[in-house]
Amino acid sequence: GLTSKKAKAEALKNLKAKNEEARDILPLSVKTTIFITNSLYDWYDIINKRLDKKVEEETREIIEKISNYINEDMHIKTSITQ
């Protein structure tokens, strides 16, 4: 059986699993709380880069929530290109 993290990671790589699929299977899939402080200028840059369709869906979902908070709760309009 696959008991080590390395063996599981190698098996997923061989199966050509997407990164987000591998994260759900490997033991790293735990709830995490993070706190990030940035200037609005930096948030605009992050939002514009991370809403790209090439970015993983989970990341885009988080960035959309941040963008909505800035736009709606703070009443500041971000210029987002999608």
Side-chain angles (χ1 to χ4, degrees):
L2 297 174
T3 55
S4 74
K5 292 179 188 179
K6 189 173 184 177
K8 289 179 185 178
E10 189 62 33
L12 288 168
K13 183 179 177 183
N14 291 337
L15 292 172
K16 299 186 188 298
K18 294 180 182 179
N19 290 340
E20 57 268 25
E21 294 168 335
R23 282 191 206 102
D24 286 338
I25 297 168
L26 295 172
L28 299 174
S29 187
V30 295
K31 182 178 178 176
T32 304
T33 302
I34 60 172
F35 296 90
I36 303 173
T37 303
N38 267 321
S39 69
L40 283 174
Y41 178 83
D42 288 335
W43 279 118
Y44 295 153
D45 187 51
I46 293 166
I47 289 167
N48 283 312
K49 289 178 181 174
R50 296 297 172 206
L51 285 179
D52 188 280
K53 298 295 181 199
K54 296 177 187 172
V55 175
E56 292 175 354
E57 183 178 349
E58 292 86 355
T59 301
R60 285 195 320 268
E61 289 173 2
I62 293 168
I63 292 299
E64 285 173 1
K65 289 178 183 180
I66 292 169
S67 178
N68 289 338
Y69 174 78
I70 292 171
N71 288 332
E72 297 167 9
D73 296 343
M74 294 182 65
H75 307 290
I76 298 171
K77 184 65 180 160
T78 56
S79 59
I80 300 172
T81 57
Q82 293 185 355

